Amino acid sequence: MKILVRGLERSITEAELEALFKPYGEVQSCTLVMDQETKKSKGFGFVEMPNGRDAVKAIKGLNTLRVKGLGIRVKAAD
């Protein structure tokens, strides 16, 4: 299942994002969306988890969690 994560602090790394999801199950991929010109994070990214149940648990567990001072939004990607 592909998961959209919004509201990320712009200094967060892909490794830190992946670490948030690891306790919920296997993470297949983790990608931050970067600005082409500045090469900095745009504040959102995608995480893919192969197990749908694990993904739903991660969404419920992480949605509105405060990470580096900001409340993140986590939902299934369309």
Side-chain angles (χ1 to χ4, degrees), residues 3-75:
I3 303 166
L4 170 64
V5 185
R6 296 183 295 142
L8 294 168
E9 208 282 324
R10 294 181 191 267
S11 68
I12 197 167
T13 65
E14 287 181 355
E16 290 171 318
L17 181 58
E18 184 175 346
L20 290 174
F21 284 82
K22 280 281 191 190
Y24 295 94
E26 181 186 348
V27 175
Q28 188 173 335
S29 68
C30 178
T31 308
L32 286 173
V33 177
M34 308 298 273
D35 184 283
Q36 295 285 0
E37 292 179 21
T38 66
K39 305 293 186 215
K40 293 184 179 179
S41 168
K42 287 190 172 187
F44 70 99
F46 296 93
V47 175
E48 284 197 57
M49 299 181 79
N51 185 309
R53 280 193 176 155
D54 291 345
V56 169
K57 287 179 189 174
I59 290 168
K60 288 180 179 177
L62 296 172
N63 191 37
T64 71
L65 179 74
R66 292 188 78 71
V67 178
K68 294 191 174 189
L70 297 176
I72 63 172
R73 304 297 294 171
V74 183
K75 68 176 192 172

